[in-house]
Amino acid sequence: MKVLVCNAGSTSLKFKLFHMPGDQVLAEGKVERVGSQDSAIYHFKKPNGYKIYREGLCIPTYTEGIQLFLDCLLDPQEGVLGSLHELERVGFKTVLSKGHYGIHPLTPEVLKGMEDYLVVAPAHNIPYLEAIRQFQKLTPQAMLVGVFETAFHTTIPLERKMYGIPYEWYEKYGIERLGYHGASHSYVADTLAGQYGSTGKAISCHLGGSGSLCAIDNGKSVDTSFGLSLQTGLIQSNRNGDMDPFIIPFLQKEGLSLDEILEGLSKRGGLLGISGVSNDLRLVEEAAQQGNSRAALAIDVFCNGIIRYIGSYYAELGGLQHLVFTGGIGEHSATVREKVCDSLGHMGIWLDPAKNISYTENAVISTPDSPVTIHVIPANEELGVARKTYSCQS
């Protein structure tokens, strides 16, 4: 079965075409800067080394980006499909749908649930709805499947999901901690199980443009740092993370409008807001190395949040066997890994400095005698989505 996975970001599209079962990648593509009139970038490649790279394109919407990738799949010389009818399933790394928190065929009811939660996840649900509707037109024969980011976290006990709110808000409006990055955290769990036979007690740190931690016990999510929305938990590239909610009415009293406050929290907060330099940790690290005290503070705040969540999850799990770093920052920032692990030595988390700086894929970077094994596992969310899409029952 040919399964196509679509990962739609706020300004990007990623695709991977798999032959399932077997996890064989047939082709992949990426569109960056969707919405730009003249500077979008497009990549297409196959495992045999064939590549296309184009820049300076006009890709105003996801519709054009999707069509560009499908055209490459159907190319008579270098494509891998004779017809779009060969696509039996299309899986989406969807984020949130009211009342649908697992893995679902994308029925009108599920899409309505995504629309109902636009106010909670506008940066994610809007592009996914556009992409899904385009695939409905182009591949009507295919089953479209939503592998919702909340799916992995449905096993979290209710006492860890509940907010301290009037109970009727939970009953009537469904307000609870839902969690995200499920595709990434579940891939970490699967990888550990494949290597060790069981995940045991693990903490997965998905650190990237957005970041979250997940406590995993025997392959199941038992706690996570995200809440109802993606605005909580760690500070992120632009988002504020955990915050006292009464800051909002205070700022309104000081003269800021609600739109100004929400824009500041979601667009100008996080690493960017504290550092004043960038929302890209690489640039923030460079500035800190050059003596920028606000950039150094942003890194410290970011790492301290990770440390705080690891400590609380260690207590909830009753111990720890595996600490995993994944995502763009988790995989590539030796600075963040060092700052976090050096603060947790009393918990048996002993980092090998040499391995931390130079490591291979799926590496162990702890010392040989470390009670907790520290891993760097490259994110492969698309493979996790492909597996779940393949196994989804209609």
Side-chain angles (χ1 to χ4, degrees):
M1 177 188 294
K2 291 184 175 65
V3 175
L4 177 63
V5 174
C6 176
N7 181 345
S10 56
T11 61
S12 66
L13 280 167
K14 297 178 184 178
F15 306 95
K16 275 193 180 181
L17 178 65
F18 293 87
H19 190 278
M20 303 294 291
D23 302 344
Q24 180 187 2
V25 177
L26 301 178
E28 57 186 293
K30 180 168 64 173
V31 182
E32 299 175 349
R33 302 175 192 167
V34 176
S36 172
Q37 294 301 308
D38 60 0
S39 60
I41 298 172
Y42 176 69
H43 308 256
F44 177 84
K45 63 180 180 179
K46 298 193 300 182
N48 65 4
Y50 175 78
K51 294 182 180 181
I52 294 175
Y53 176 82
R54 299 172 185 166
E55 58 183 351
L57 302 177
C58 177
I59 305 178
T61 71
Y62 294 88
T63 298
E64 288 82 8
I66 291 168
Q67 190 63 60
L68 189 59
F69 179 71
L70 295 180
D71 287 345
C72 285
L73 292 182
L74 295 169
D75 182 83
Q77 278 73 45
E78 296 293 345
V80 295
L81 295 179
S83 165
L84 289 182
H85 289 283
E86 295 179 38
L87 289 179
E88 296 182 53
R89 297 193 177 189
V90 181
F92 298 85
K93 196 176 75 70
T94 40
V95 175
L96 186 60
S97 175
K98 188 175 183 180
H100 305 89
Y101 305 116
I103 300 162
H104 303 277
L106 290 169
T107 63
E109 291 76 20
V110 176
L111 297 183
K112 175 62 165 57
M114 293 177 67
E115 293 171 349
D116 289 342
Y117 268 163
L118 282 174
V119 68
V120 179
H124 300 82
N125 278 12
I126 289 174
Y128 269 113
L129 284 167
E130 180 180 342
I132 290 164
R133 285 166 178 152
Q134 181 67 4
F135 275 102
Q136 285 177 326
K137 295 177 184 177
L138 296 173
T139 60
Q141 80 290 343
M143 178 196 291
L144 306 188
V145 177
V147 180
F148 285 91
E149 290 285 270
T150 49
F152 186 57
H153 304 298
T154 56
T155 53
I156 295 176
L158 186 57
E159 64 267 23
R160 295 174 186 162
K161 288 185 174 184
M162 284 295 298
Y163 289 106
I165 57 175
Y167 192 77
E168 58 267 25
W169 293 2
Y170 163 70
E171 292 182 303
K172 185 175 181 179
Y173 305 116
I175 297 178
E176 62 177 293
R177 293 184 177 93
L178 295 174
Y180 302 94
H181 290 153
S184 177
H185 294 309
S186 64
Y187 179 76
V188 165
D190 291 344
T191 300
L192 290 176
Q195 291 178 351
Y196 296 94
S198 169
T199 61
K201 299 179 184 299
I203 296 174
S204 170
C205 306
H206 178 104
L207 309 175
S210 63
S212 69
L213 275 72
C214 179
I216 302 170
D217 196 353
N218 289 319
K220 294 182 179 180
S221 172
V222 295
D223 208 346
T224 190
S225 58
F226 270 136
L228 175 71
S229 76
L230 296 93
Q231 194 70 29
T232 56
L234 303 175
I235 68 164
Q236 298 168 53
S237 58
N238 300 83
R239 303 187 196 120
N240 59 276
D242 290 332
M243 188 191 77
D244 184 339
F246 273 71
I247 292 174
I248 294 176
F250 173 80
L251 290 174
Q252 287 180 304
K253 186 175 181 296
E254 292 296 309
L256 274 67
S257 70
L258 181 59
D259 285 343
E260 288 175 320
I261 296 168
L262 295 179
E263 193 268 343
L265 297 176
S266 62
K267 303 293 186 183
R268 297 187 291 110
L271 291 172
L272 173 62
I274 297 173
S275 73
V277 173
S278 174
N279 63 356
D280 188 323
L281 183 70
R282 293 168 294 188
L283 299 179
V284 176
E285 285 186 356
E286 288 179 9
Q289 291 167 1
Q290 295 167 5
N292 187 313
S293 59
R294 280 180 56 183
L297 177 63
I299 296 170
D300 287 343
V301 172
F302 180 63
C303 292
N304 190 68
I306 300 168
I307 293 164
R308 183 184 299 121
Y309 275 106
I310 290 174
S312 65
Y313 293 165
Y314 183 99
E316 288 180 346
L317 288 166
L320 188 63
Q321 292 167 274
H322 303 283
L323 177 64
V324 179
F325 292 92
T326 189
I329 293 173
E331 295 168 32
H332 300 296
S333 177
T335 299
V336 168
R337 294 193 300 266
E338 179 182 9
K339 280 181 172 289
V340 169
C341 294
D342 284 356
S343 296
L344 298 170
H346 62 288
M347 291 167 48
I349 296 172
W350 301 345
L351 182 72
D352 184 314
K355 292 178 182 177
N356 183 45
I357 295 172
S358 178
Y359 65 90
T360 56
E361 192 168 298
N362 285 333
V364 171
I365 58 172
S366 46
T367 61
D369 57 343
S370 176
V372 176
T373 305
I374 309 169
H375 305 257
V376 178
I377 297 178
N380 195 342
E381 296 170 297
E382 287 83 8
L383 177 56
V385 172
R387 289 170 175 170
K388 291 175 175 63
T389 299
Y390 173 72
S391 60
C392 179
Q393 301 298 312
S394 58

